[in-house]
Amino acid sequence: MKLGLILKEIRKKQGLTCVWVSEQSNISRQALNRIEKGEDNMNLNTFFRLCNTLKISPIDLLIIKEKELESPENIKISDEIKKILPVKGEKNKWI
């Protein structure tokens, strides 16, 4: 699974719209849509802005991706995402 697809799942689990995330991240809605569909790659700046907007640690997200690459049959992405979602009202711990 591409990082963009994981970001999309995180966004949806948080109940956020594509429009809101794109505005908060200063990324066009079209670009975010392509990233989330896995049709386009993102640069590091975009990656960090999206992580900041979603209040998730970039390292945690990369760890999920690494686990998936190492053992795709043994990882359940949705369970891993639940572990990194922020608690309501909590500030980004990685900033």
Side-chain angles (χ1 to χ4, degrees), residues 10-77:
I10 291 169
R11 175 182 62 77
K12 286 185 167 190
K13 286 193 181 299
Q14 291 184 0
L16 303 173
T17 66
C18 186
V19 172
W20 187 86
V21 171
S22 68
E23 288 173 355
Q24 297 299 308
S25 303
N26 198 25
I27 300 166
S28 76
R29 190 171 40 86
Q30 294 82 5
L32 180 58
N33 197 6
R34 287 191 308 273
I35 290 167
E36 286 187 345
K37 287 182 177 178
E39 296 173 353
D40 206 355
N41 293 320
M42 64 188 125
N43 61 34
L44 280 176
N45 187 32
T46 300
F47 174 70
F48 286 118
R49 285 188 294 175
L50 287 170
C51 287
N52 187 47
T53 298
L54 295 171
K55 294 182 173 43
I56 57 170
S57 162
I59 293 170
D60 288 344
L61 186 57
L62 293 173
I63 288 170
I64 289 174
K65 183 63 183 165
E66 180 67 21
K67 285 181 182 179
E68 181 198 25
L69 290 173
E70 287 177 354
S71 185
E73 66 280 349
N74 293 332
I75 185 169
K76 202 168 175 197
I77 296 292

